[in-house]
Amino acid sequence: MQLHNISKENSILNTFIAEIRDKTIQNDRMRFRRNIERIGEILGYELSKTFNYKPNTVETPLGNSSVNLTTNNVVVCSILRAGVPLHNGLLN
């Protein structure tokens, strides 16, 4: 198991976390929900850095291109209703 403390790095993630902690923003449900979704998107991006990748070739209209594609099968599951915005962010 790897533990990543993203809050120690400068990131836009810190802005979204600060906003969901702010009591005035917590009253704006749409903004709160959108910030949770944005946090999910950033966490999904950070999570993707830990996947295993292998080189692959993709045929494009301009020719062949080398890309690294993940070899992991990822399953995203939300159990609690409050986790739906975070789930949607991870899916994005």
Side-chain angles (χ1 to χ4, degrees):
M1 182 173 92
Q2 293 178 326
L3 180 65
H4 298 277
N5 188 348
I6 299 173
S7 67
K8 290 189 177 186
E9 300 174 20
N10 291 329
S11 170
I12 193 70
L13 176 66
N14 295 329
T15 302
F16 300 137
I17 291 174
E19 287 185 3
I20 65 171
R21 290 179 174 168
D22 188 323
K23 67 179 183 178
T24 57
I25 293 176
Q26 287 180 357
N27 293 329
D28 183 353
R29 292 181 182 173
M30 283 304 290
R31 187 169 177 189
F32 183 85
R33 183 180 178 92
R34 180 64 183 126
N35 281 339
I36 295 291
E37 189 173 333
R38 288 176 175 146
I39 290 169
E41 291 171 354
I42 293 169
L43 291 178
Y45 171 74
E46 293 295 329
L47 178 66
S48 73
K49 293 178 182 179
T50 65
F51 293 166
N52 297 318
Y53 292 87
K54 71 174 186 172
N56 201 348
T57 303
V58 176
E59 186 176 345
T60 72
L62 299 176
N64 291 336
S65 177
S66 297
V67 294
N68 292 326
L69 298 177
T70 183
T71 59
N72 296 90
N73 293 322
V74 180
V75 176
V76 179
C77 169
S78 177
I79 297 172
L80 301 174
R81 194 186 88 206
V84 171
L86 188 67
H87 177 89
N88 288 340
L90 282 167
L91 289 177
N92 290 344

